[in-house]
Amino acid sequence: MNRKLAATALTAAIAIASAWTTAASAAPTSVEMTWMSIANWYFKIGDKRIMMDAYITRVPGPPFFFPPKNYPNDLYAYTKAPYGVDTASIAKVKDAVLGKDKLDYMLVGHSHFDHSWDSPTWSKMTGAQMIGGASSCMQGLAQGLPAAQCTSVSGAEKIAMGDGITVRVVRFNHSGDASNPIQHFARELYQPPVPDPATGGLRGGVGEDYPNGGGNRAFLFTVDGPDGQLAFFVNNSASAYDLDKDIVVDGVSYGSPLANLQAAMKDAGLTQVDAWIGTGGEPVAKLIVPVIHPKAYIPNHWDGLFNPFWAGMPYPFKDDALAKYLGAQKIPMLPQKQYFDKYVLTKAGVAMADNHAMKAALGFSDVQAFKQSMLDAVDRVASTSVGDDCGEGFSKPPEWARVFASLAR
């Protein structure tokens, strides 16, 4: 071998050895996923910090909200007055969760009050780019968020966030059916809502300043790292009622949620995800599981809408029908025990992790303690029948819903 070839071979060998050393020493691919109540999530992926919805303010419940006479199941259509943003609580959560870290992105699932109410404030406080539907961006404008700081997405977008993170936007539907059409059917704002001149507040009704925003936006994440790829899917609302029907807004079809999810999976080259942060109970799971084949399920948006934030988790998670279905599919379910429970996703799977310091900074116990009367109530009825995915608006609340409401306050 001549000197030139030898030098080339040596250089190549050094480069290969260096690559192997770098790969071996690099931290394994992981995603930290912290549940901050309702459908509020904090994702920490490498150096990236991403939140979803982050609704900390609690807008008062009925009778502050009330339905129109012709649609009594649309319990959240209208409000008695405008309402503001609890900036002090948001700032307290921001300090405990982020510390000195920068929030990079603020994702918004849809534009109902229990999702997008606080999102613009988080973006203003942190400088994070907000990503959501057109209505969510208009709500941001109404709250003083610069137009350039909100990216409007309609579905099928592929967003490269850096550090190997790609998010595919999946146009989805909202929970409900024809009995509560104002809440359920795809509705967008046509212009930014006008804040109340006296208080600066907005009206939180789903028939007022906070329609669902053309259905919903779900998100399929892929994370490429030194030891391979991780994938997880997040949806914060859904209804089996029309999950396979096209979403049509002002005559424009955005495809059906199931077809949109199938397209996103195909585009990502996936036949399975490592985790599904999902809601909608057994009826939705039966439709989505055959599409994404999740290795684990984490419940989302099941703990009600109006229970005080600072009291912690209002009642235990319980959904026997969903648990039975997932069990038959050999999909483990990891329900939460308290606000700010943390999950860690790695190539080995999903596991719950200690988050004592963050919980303690916010005044939460590691695991929520419940009165025996609450535990007795949960033995008699699934807790998700009260809170699952805005489910309180589907029908007149049963007696056990009133029991839960009284025990959780």
Side-chain angles (χ1 to χ4, degrees):
M1 181 182 294
N2 62 40
R3 290 182 179 181
K4 186 175 181 180
L5 287 175
T8 301
L10 179 60
T11 300
I14 292 172
I16 292 170
S18 176
W20 276 106
T21 301
T22 301
S25 62
T29 312
S30 69
V31 179
E32 291 184 11
M33 307 181 291
T34 301
W35 179 63
M36 305 189 299
S37 80
I38 307 185
N40 307 311
W41 288 89
Y42 169 57
F43 302 121
K44 183 178 177 183
I45 311 173
D47 291 330
K48 287 290 184 290
R49 308 291 185 268
I50 304 162
M51 282 191 179
M52 185 168 178
D53 293 353
Y55 170 64
I56 305 303
T57 301
R58 292 296 190 263
V59 177
F64 182 80
F65 281 87
F66 62 93
K69 292 182 179 179
N70 54 331
Y71 290 112
N73 288 335
D74 258 317
L75 299 184
Y76 315 127
Y78 304 114
T79 53
K80 292 184 175 181
Y83 203 75
V85 175
D86 186 354
T87 54
S89 289
I90 294 171
K92 184 175 180 180
V93 173
K94 178 182 75 70
D95 290 344
V97 174
L98 293 173
K100 295 181 180 180
D101 289 340
K102 177 183 181 295
L103 185 65
D104 296 287
Y105 295 98
M106 179 75 245
L107 303 179
V108 183
H110 62 275
S111 307
H112 278 165
F113 68 92
D114 54 318
H115 298 271
S116 62
W117 192 269
D118 292 342
S119 305
T121 298
W122 278 96
S123 287
K124 288 190 294 182
M125 280 186 176
T126 64
Q129 185 71 17
M130 185 168 143
I131 300 173
S135 293
S136 296
C137 287
M138 289 183 191
Q139 292 163 349
L141 288 173
Q143 292 190 25
L145 184 71
Q149 206 173 328
C150 189
T151 301
S152 177
V153 290
S154 296
E157 294 87 355
K158 184 164 65 174
I159 303 169
M161 293 185 167
D163 293 348
I165 305 164
T166 301
V167 174
R168 289 168 174 83
V169 183
V170 182
R171 188 64 172 256
F172 234 56
N173 69 345
H174 192 273
S175 62
D177 53 35
S179 70
N180 56 350
I182 302 176
Q183 174 180 307
H184 171 68
F185 290 121
R187 300 167 62 89
E188 291 275 21
L189 291 171
Y190 294 101
Q191 60 188 15
V194 179
D196 177 64
T199 65
L202 296 170
R203 287 187 172 270
V206 300
E208 298 175 314
D209 296 339
Y210 283 79
N212 65 34
N216 195 7
R217 310 295 186 275
F219 302 98
L220 177 64
F221 283 77
T222 55
V223 182
D224 294 299
D227 56 347
Q229 185 182 78
L230 298 174
F232 63 100
F233 176 61
V234 189
N235 75 290
N236 66 14
S237 191
S239 172
Y241 171 71
D242 54 3
L243 201 61
D244 60 345
K245 304 295 189 300
D246 285 0
I247 299 163
V248 179
V249 182
D250 294 333
V252 178
S253 175
Y254 292 94
S256 75
L258 283 179
N260 295 339
L261 180 55
Q262 290 168 343
M265 291 285 288
K266 182 178 180 180
D267 186 69
L270 297 173
T271 58
Q272 186 174 43
V273 297
D274 297 291
W276 174 24
I277 298 175
T279 189
E282 179 200 25
V284 169
K286 284 183 172 180
L287 295 171
I288 292 182
V289 165
V291 177
I292 64 174
H293 301 286
K295 295 179 183 177
Y297 179 91
I298 302 172
N300 190 24
H301 202 341
W302 60 269
D303 62 316
L305 307 178
F306 305 112
N307 298 294
F309 173 77
W310 294 107
M313 204 169 81
Y315 36 75
F317 178 88
K318 181 174 178 284
D319 189 329
D320 290 341
L322 175 62
K324 182 178 179 180
Y325 171 73
L326 293 174
Q329 309 303 313
K330 295 181 170 41
I331 300 169
M333 181 166 63
L334 292 81
Q336 296 88 349
K337 306 295 184 182
Q338 178 60 294
Y339 289 170
F340 294 86
D341 274 355
K342 182 169 72 174
Y343 302 81
V344 178
L345 170 62
T346 65
K347 296 298 290 183
V350 182
M352 299 189 78
D354 175 75
N355 203 21
H356 174 77
M358 188 181 294
K359 292 178 181 179
L362 292 167
F364 294 122
S365 59
D366 286 337
V367 176
Q368 185 76 308
F370 295 105
K371 298 176 183 177
Q372 188 59 48
S373 55
M374 173 60 77
L375 299 177
D376 292 341
V378 172
D379 280 342
R380 306 245 336 238
V381 63
S383 56
T384 54
S385 68
V386 180
D388 189 31
D389 197 9
C390 305
E392 303 94 325
F394 294 172
S395 60
K396 182 180 179 181
E399 177 60 31
W400 278 107
R402 289 190 284 273
V403 171
F404 273 118
S406 66
L407 294 174
R409 294 185 186 279

